Amino acid sequence: MPLLTNSPEKKTWLHVPANSDFPIQNIPFGVFLTRDDIITIGTRIGDYAIDLGALHQLGYFKGIPLTEDIFLQDTLNDFISDGKKTWRLVRNRISEIFDIKNEQLKNNESHKNIVLFTLDEIEMQLPVHIGDYTDFYSSKEHATNVGKMFRDPENALLPNWLHIPVGYHGRSSSIVPSNTPIRRPMGQTMPQGATQPVFGPSNAVDFELEMAFITTDANLLGEQISVAEAENYIFGMVLFNDWSARDIQKWEYVPLGPFLAKNFASSISPWIVTLDALEPFRVASPKQNPEPLPYLQQTGKRGFDINLEVSITPEGAAPTIVSKSNFKHMYWTMAQQLAHHTVNGCNVNSGDMMGSGTISGPTPDSYGSMLEITWGGTKPIVLSDGSSRTYIEDQDTVTFTGYCSKNGSRIGFGEVSTKLLPVNQNKKK
Amino acid sequence: MPLLTNSPEKKTWLHVPANSDFPIQNIPFGVFLTRDDIITIGTRIGDYAIDLGALHQLGYFKGIPLTEDIFLQDTLNDFISDGKKTWRLVRNRISEIFDIKNEQLKNNESHKNIVLFTLDEIEMQLPVHIGDYTDFYSSKEHATNVGKMFRDPENALLPNWLHIPVGYHGRSSSIVPSNTPIRRPMGQTMPQGATQPVFGPSNAVDFELEMAFITTDANLLGEQISVAEAENYIFGMVLFNDWSARDIQKWEYVPLGPFLAKNFASSISPWIVTLDALEPFRVASPKQNPEPLPYLQQTGKRGFDINLEVSITPEGAAPTIVSKSNFKHMYWTMAQQLAHHTVNGCNVNSGDMMGSGTISGPTPDSYGSMLEITWGGTKPIVLSDGSSRTYIEDQDTVTFTGYCSKNGSRIGFGEVSTKLLPVNQNKKK
């Protein structure tokens, strides 16, 4: 199935603002609630959300093998299960329908009224039911920074790190879409110098700048996916804020890893950008030394050049950019992560999500967490309203944006933006 | 809603073999495939599986607020969502229908033909769709044994262990029901004394003797469940084999916990035994010293006296019992685990599963893993066929059984029995 959507010359009859993350070359997938309170699967071009359920009912996907209700669902899981060939057929068709030279829908006002929504008419939902969520730890800079702070500055990387894309399982239930406020967690901590743990609100709520990929049904229990095949099972990517409570994490995490420090909430951007749309922005990933074991060896460009930015917006104030990083820094690639995840026969399903781990660059202004930016809280930063931060304060909004850019073409992810509310001390009634 | 099912005097008109795990006082819930290839929800009395979907269609649950298709589903999640009051109403009614004094169904041959199955006519399925699976680490004996072997024999328990029911997230997708064979995993390990990791079949596949509880929808994101309320959100329990590859685990687990060492497969018994059925077998859990923080303090008997047994059966040989333990040894209770899990606002849903952690008793013959029984492989055990084991070998079947017993009453879990097949080195085609 040829990829027909990426030509930078292609233009659409819909208005696309300059520097939009969503030109006709993007065609991401998401789930939204419409002005009529109907949940549907859709895509986005410029500032229009497009109801794919309605387009399909109107016959615009004729000839593509799709079940009738494939887009009239509250998650993308079934569509993702249809596989890469179908994703391409659908994106190619959407690209045709909205091509500036195609007047079929453009000149049909009644169809346009049914199919097109402005962004204020819709409410974005979680795009997939996430069966299992895994988080990796694949930025060498981040792992090194954490190792320097918490373990041994001289041997910051643990011995396994250069051999394994280290990862662990996370909580699916508490993953929420952008614009869903979250609450500061309560928890047990051991304050510096104390001999008894205490219970109270976390004093160290942090973001982690990550991206995550969403898989299709990759393998049955007992089967392995090779590095070479892995990307065929990746539907697309989102921005991902792996909220972390550092004080809870520090006390609880030995020996089985982070738990309540992470599972109070994680936030993702609502539009899944396909790997096909990201194709023009491939780059070589960092050279790996030592060479990994054969089951992790890869050829070709497996990294992606995705600019990332983090801002903090206090209540009523202007945003302050606190980090500029890039997904290309990741030492372990998505292909290696997925191959490693399945090498023991672990089965991966449609809608599973795998986080990259915090994406830190080489310099302090590219670090992907407040833990690193303020070096464990020792170097507070000053925001544009004059207030200072070591970690995130109540009523702060943390926003990640991400986009690829090359020769005037731009493909972006929109944003994941989340407000931190104060603790909820009420028990369930 | 009164609990009417536990009277030890109650008898049923169905034949129940002596020492059955499933007297009329049990009434567990499961999902099975019938001789007609239909999936249904059912219960079990003696050696009969009872089709609750059919019973409901025949009107036997009249007066109980149940949707028409509540039992005609391939998972128990929706029924579990109906809540504790409904679970009791249904179990009370089943107890009435099969009471020796009730001749309504007993004398209706055509209804009995539709409703009753012998065990060889059905195939048990996974009883719930497990949204999220958490594993705790709540046996003091197990944590101490592991600490002695892998860390410091003088300070075997890590500092947080007596203050926190330590837990971590696991993989839902690879949880399988009893009688589903699993495969020895491939993986990366660092052999003793080596300087470079190697890739190959795990040489240290182990079982972990655990139990797990299944929850109902407990709380919304941001809400907390108290210890006092927690048991109201626990539907029931199963036997749980948390398969582990010790050599993979040892190399991968720092700093984020076990990953591929665990997620190649986990096995559960197919009948969920309700907390109501276990009520007569409550016991005090071990005294906790130091006293936990207030949010973890509990009153009353929160432990359960459940006898557990592990056997290994080599291909063609007789089983050898390798461990006899008891769930009452658990230091942290299920109520404490669930309260801790939600104290940060993490939301728990219907069908979520939480494992106890390996249930080791105080003596070597009650240890819950080969790691402990053979003390890290240094003390092999001899099976009844004369062969010896440090870990589990290909074609071995590992079987856990569990039952409560008091004053001649017995409530059991049946078994979780799993055969280990050789590695599958084939990549997905």
Side-chain angles (χ1 to χ4, degrees):
Chain A
M1 185 47 44
L3 183 52
L4 304 172
T5 52
N6 288 345
S7 161
E9 284 74 41
K10 193 180 264 279
K11 291 204 162 35
T12 172
W13 49 265
L14 282 170
H15 171 69
V16 177
N19 269 326
S20 173
D21 280 352
F22 302 99
I24 192 169
Q25 288 76 12
N26 192 337
I27 315 179
F29 291 94
V31 172
F32 56 81
L33 194 68
T34 70
R35 59 196 167 214
D36 308 316
D37 256 355
I38 291 168
I39 294 255
T40 187
I41 286 171
T43 187
R44 176 173 172 177
I45 296 178
D47 290 339
Y48 290 98
I50 297 159
D51 182 341
L52 296 180
L55 263 186
H56 189 23
Q57 284 184 311
L58 293 169
Y60 284 86
F61 293 112
K62 208 172 284 174
I64 302 177
L66 295 167
T67 58
E68 266 181 52
D69 64 347
I70 192 71
F71 296 125
L72 297 172
Q73 308 209 12
D74 58 3
T75 70
L76 278 155
N77 294 57
D78 286 353
F79 175 63
I80 294 173
S81 279
D82 284 346
K84 187 170 180 172
K85 187 177 158 186
T86 302
W87 315 333
R88 283 200 176 168
L89 284 167
V90 167
R91 287 183 68 254
N92 287 350
R93 181 67 60 84
I94 294 169
S95 180
E96 272 176 45
I97 296 168
F98 292 94
D99 190 299
I100 198 162
K101 292 180 265 182
N102 186 338
E103 307 206 323
Q104 187 190 5
L105 178 61
K106 181 184 174 187
N107 292 340
N108 189 326
E109 287 303 319
S110 71
H111 281 189
K112 278 199 291 186
N113 277 337
I114 296 169
V115 162
L116 295 180
F117 294 82
T118 57
L119 296 180
D120 58 358
E121 293 176 315
I122 63 160
E123 196 179 296
M124 295 303 296
Q125 311 291 306
L126 213 55
V128 279
H129 170 77
I130 300 166
D132 276 296
Y133 147 51
T134 297
D135 199 25
F136 287 94
Y137 185 59
S138 289
S139 152
K140 190 174 175 184
E141 290 79 4
H142 172 68
T144 303
N145 287 338
V146 170
K148 279 184 187 169
M149 273 184 269
F150 288 139
R151 289 179 291 266
D152 177 1
E154 301 305 310
N155 292 287
L157 278 186
L158 287 164
N160 58 9
W161 199 92
L162 291 169
H163 299 281
I164 293 178
V166 170
Y168 68 116
H169 296 295
R171 180 91 189 165
S172 301
S173 70
S174 51
I175 299 173
V176 295
S178 183
N179 292 324
T180 306
I182 65 163
R183 288 206 172 266
R184 178 180 296 274
M186 303 285 288
Q188 188 180 135
T189 60
M190 178 66 92
Q192 193 78 33
T195 56
Q196 289 300 315
V198 298
F199 179 71
S202 167
N203 290 314
V205 174
D206 199 356
F207 61 81
E208 287 194 342
L209 172 61
E210 300 197 20
M211 299 199 69
F213 65 88
I214 309 289
T215 62
T216 185
D217 309 282
N219 59 330
L220 299 177
L221 190 62
E223 290 181 345
Q224 307 173 349
I225 302 293
S226 68
V227 175
E229 280 295 311
E231 286 180 357
N232 291 328
Y233 299 100
I234 297 176
F235 177 63
M237 297 177 71
V238 293
L239 301 167
F240 176 44
N241 186 344
D242 182 23
W243 290 97
S244 302
R246 300 298 178 194
D247 43 0
I248 296 173
Q249 184 175 352
K250 196 173 170 187
W251 174 230
E252 76 171 358
Y253 92 104
V254 284
L256 299 177
F259 180 49
L260 298 190
K262 300 278 190 173
N263 66 15
F264 60 98
S266 317
S267 308
I268 63 172
S269 58
W271 293 107
I272 304 178
V273 176
T274 63
L275 276 208
D276 274 352
L278 298 171
E279 196 57 40
F281 308 98
R282 284 186 181 272
V283 289
S285 51
K287 188 168 161 50
Q288 297 183 320
N289 182 16
E291 189 176 49
L293 285 167
Y295 82 96
L296 290 170
Q297 288 171 14
Q298 61 193 356
T299 55
K301 296 176 177 176
R302 301 285 172 201
F304 291 88
D305 183 359
I306 306 171
N307 300 291
L308 300 165
E309 209 171 88
V310 182
S311 68
I312 299 176
T313 309
E315 185 81 347
T320 302
I321 293 168
V322 298
S323 178
K324 289 185 177 200
S325 187
N326 193 303
F327 186 72
K328 72 182 176 192
H329 297 308
M330 300 314 288
Y331 187 86
W332 295 101
T333 66
M334 295 185 284
Q336 290 175 317
Q337 290 167 343
L338 187 53
H340 183 65
H341 204 315
T342 61
V343 80
N344 68 344
C346 179
N347 52 331
V348 169
N349 294 317
S350 175
D352 288 352
M353 186 179 112
M354 304 196 185
S356 57
T358 305
I359 304 165
S360 291
T363 55
D365 60 352
S366 64
Y367 290 168
S369 66
M370 293 296 276
L371 175 72
E372 295 163 88
I373 294 169
T374 70
W375 207 253
T378 60
K379 298 176 181 175
I381 55 171
V382 178
L383 303 185
S384 61
D385 66 351
S387 64
S388 75
R389 291 289 181 282
T390 46
Y391 290 103
I392 304 304
E393 310 245 312
D394 291 348
Q395 312 296 347
D396 283 355
T397 296
V398 175
T399 304
F400 299 171
T401 56
Y403 68 94
C404 308
S405 173
K406 191 176 169 184
N407 305 330
S409 297
R410 175 180 170 125
I411 295 285
F413 290 80
E415 63 177 32
V416 55
S417 188
T418 316
K419 188 174 196 172
L420 178 66
L421 300 178
V423 291
N424 179 4
Q425 302 216 31
N426 296 328
K427 300 253 189 304
K428 178 173 171 172
K429 295 294 182 293
Chain B
M1 185 47 45
L3 183 52
L4 304 173
T5 50
N6 287 345
S7 161
E9 285 74 40
K10 192 181 266 278
K11 290 204 162 38
T12 173
W13 49 265
L14 282 170
H15 171 68
V16 177
N19 269 327
S20 172
D21 279 352
F22 303 98
I24 192 170
Q25 288 78 11
N26 192 338
I27 313 179
F29 292 95
V31 172
F32 56 81
L33 195 67
T34 70
R35 59 194 165 214
D36 308 316
D37 255 355
I38 292 168
I39 294 257
T40 187
I41 285 169
T43 187
R44 176 172 172 178
I45 296 177
D47 289 340
Y48 290 98
I50 298 159
D51 182 340
L52 296 179
L55 262 186
H56 189 24
Q57 283 184 311
L58 293 169
Y60 284 85
F61 292 112
K62 207 172 284 173
I64 302 177
L66 294 168
T67 57
E68 266 180 54
D69 63 345
I70 191 71
F71 297 125
L72 297 172
Q73 308 208 11
D74 59 2
T75 71
L76 278 155
N77 294 54
D78 285 353
F79 175 63
I80 295 174
S81 280
D82 284 346
K84 187 170 180 170
K85 188 178 158 185
T86 301
W87 314 334
R88 282 199 176 169
L89 284 168
V90 167
R91 287 183 69 252
N92 286 350
R93 181 68 59 84
I94 294 170
S95 179
E96 271 177 46
I97 297 167
F98 293 93
D99 189 298
I100 198 162
K101 291 180 268 191
N102 186 338
E103 306 206 323
Q104 187 190 4
L105 177 61
K106 181 184 175 187
N107 292 341
N108 190 326
E109 287 303 320
S110 72
H111 283 189
K112 278 199 292 186
N113 277 337
I114 296 170
V115 162
L116 295 180
F117 294 83
T118 56
L119 297 180
D120 58 358
E121 293 175 315
I122 64 161
E123 196 178 296
M124 296 303 297
Q125 310 291 307
L126 213 55
V128 280
H129 170 77
I130 300 166
D132 276 298
Y133 146 53
T134 296
D135 200 26
F136 287 95
Y137 186 60
S138 289
S139 152
K140 190 173 174 182
E141 290 79 5
H142 173 67
T144 303
N145 287 338
V146 171
K148 279 185 188 168
M149 273 184 269
F150 287 140
R151 289 179 291 265
D152 177 0
E154 302 304 311
N155 293 287
L157 278 186
L158 286 164
N160 59 10
W161 200 92
L162 292 169
H163 300 281
I164 293 178
V166 170
Y168 68 116
H169 297 296
R171 181 92 189 165
S172 301
S173 70
S174 50
I175 299 173
V176 295
S178 183
N179 292 324
T180 306
I182 65 164
R183 288 208 173 264
R184 178 179 298 272
M186 303 286 287
Q188 188 179 138
T189 59
M190 178 67 92
Q192 194 77 33
T195 56
Q196 288 301 316
V198 298
F199 179 71
S202 167
N203 290 315
V205 174
D206 199 355
F207 61 81
E208 288 195 341
L209 172 62
E210 301 198 19
M211 299 198 67
F213 65 87
I214 309 289
T215 63
T216 184
D217 309 282
N219 60 329
L220 299 176
L221 190 62
E223 290 182 344
Q224 307 173 348
I225 302 293
S226 67
V227 175
E229 281 295 311
E231 286 180 358
N232 291 328
Y233 299 99
I234 298 177
F235 177 64
M237 297 177 72
V238 293
L239 302 167
F240 175 45
N241 186 347
D242 182 22
W243 289 98
S244 302
R246 300 298 177 194
D247 43 0
I248 296 173
Q249 184 174 352
K250 197 175 171 186
W251 175 230
E252 75 171 357
Y253 92 104
V254 282
L256 299 178
F259 180 49
L260 299 190
K262 300 277 190 174
N263 66 16
F264 60 98
S266 317
S267 308
I268 64 173
S269 58
W271 293 106
I272 304 178
V273 176
T274 64
L275 276 208
D276 275 352
L278 298 171
E279 196 58 40
F281 308 98
R282 283 185 182 273
V283 289
S285 51
K287 188 171 162 48
Q288 296 182 320
N289 182 16
E291 188 175 51
L293 284 168
Y295 82 95
L296 289 170
Q297 289 172 15
Q298 61 193 355
T299 55
K301 295 176 177 174
R302 301 287 172 199
F304 291 87
D305 182 357
I306 305 171
N307 300 291
L308 300 166
E309 212 172 86
V310 182
S311 67
I312 299 175
T313 310
E315 185 81 347
T320 302
I321 294 168
V322 299
S323 176
K324 291 186 176 199
S325 186
N326 194 303
F327 186 71
K328 72 182 177 192
H329 297 307
M330 301 311 289
Y331 187 86
W332 295 102
T333 66
M334 295 185 283
Q336 290 176 318
Q337 289 166 343
L338 187 51
H340 183 65
H341 204 314
T342 62
V343 80
N344 69 345
C346 178
N347 52 329
V348 169
N349 294 318
S350 176
D352 288 353
M353 186 178 113
M354 304 195 184
S356 57
T358 305
I359 305 166
S360 290
T363 55
D365 60 351
S366 63
Y367 289 169
S369 64
M370 292 297 275
L371 175 72
E372 295 163 88
I373 294 169
T374 70
W375 208 253
T378 61
K379 298 176 182 174
I381 55 170
V382 177
L383 303 185
S384 62
D385 67 350
S387 63
S388 76
R389 291 289 181 282
T390 45
Y391 290 104
I392 304 304
E393 310 243 313
D394 290 349
Q395 312 297 348
D396 283 354
T397 297
V398 175
T399 304
F400 300 171
T401 57
Y403 68 94
C404 307
S405 173
K406 190 177 170 184
N407 304 327
S409 297
R410 175 178 171 126
I411 295 285
F413 289 81
E415 63 177 33
V416 55
S417 188
T418 316
K419 188 175 197 171
L420 179 66
L421 300 179
V423 291
N424 179 4
Q425 301 215 33
N426 295 328
K427 300 252 189 302
K428 179 174 172 174
K429 295 294 180 294

